[in-house]
Amino acid sequence: MTNKIIYAAALATVIGLGGCTTVVKERVVVHDHPATVRYAPAPVQEVMPPAPAPGYAWVQGHWAWRDHGWQWQRGYWYQGPSRPMPAVIVEQITVAPSPAHYWVPGHWAWHHNEWQWTRGHWER
């Protein structure tokens, strides 16, 4: 008897919900404006002076994004091992949050005795 009641309740629920429909209309807004990208300038050609002593490695100069602009970080001798700056990672530019935003591409910077990648991001 209990199984018949459960079956009847389930059937009534299915039949009752069968007539319920909800129409959802979404409004999609697409802003078609080109992204403004603030690329780093060309590398500055630096003359590498002689090493101060054995055991030093040259950290090449590079552009770093600071205070809403690219700033040149001069090359210098570092006591310890160093490897050359890795190749740039190509990132996909996402949709701008607004026309007032600009894209800052990802870039390598020397931090804590190694090259670290800073991901591209939107700024305003």
Side-chain angles (χ1 to χ4, degrees), residues 54-105:
Y56 279 77
W58 179 254
V59 176
Q60 70 188 65
H62 58 280
W63 289 103
W65 184 261
R66 292 204 174 90
D67 301 324
H68 303 289
W70 291 106
Q71 294 180 5
W72 180 252
Q73 307 301 300
R74 293 179 43 174
Y76 63 94
W77 287 103
Y78 163 74
Q79 188 172 10
S82 171
R83 59 185 174 96
M85 183 187 301
V88 172
I89 298 171
V90 178
E91 299 175 316
Q92 183 175 357
I93 299 174
T94 58
V95 177
S98 79
H101 283 77
Y102 55 88
W103 180 256
V104 178

Side-chain angles (χ1 to χ4, degrees), residues 17-85:
L17 291 178
C20 294
T21 58
T22 304
V23 177
V24 177
K25 292 185 179 181
E26 292 183 13
R27 184 173 177 214
V28 178
V29 178
V30 177
H31 298 284
D32 190 20
H33 53 274
T36 301
V37 180
R38 299 221 176 146
Y39 292 105
V44 173
Q45 296 299 318
E46 296 182 312
V47 176
M48 185 171 58
Y56 279 77
W58 179 254
V59 176
Q60 70 188 65
H62 58 280
W63 289 103
W65 184 261
R66 292 204 174 90
D67 301 324
H68 303 289
W70 291 106
Q71 294 180 5
W72 180 252
Q73 307 301 300
R74 293 179 43 174
Y76 63 94
W77 287 103
Y78 163 74
Q79 188 172 10
S82 171
R83 59 185 174 96
M85 183 187 301

Side-chain angles (χ1 to χ4, degrees), residues 109-121:
W110 183 259
H111 291 290
H112 306 293
N113 306 329
E114 64 182 4
W115 291 108
Q116 293 181 352
W117 180 253
T118 301
R119 294 181 60 162
H121 62 278

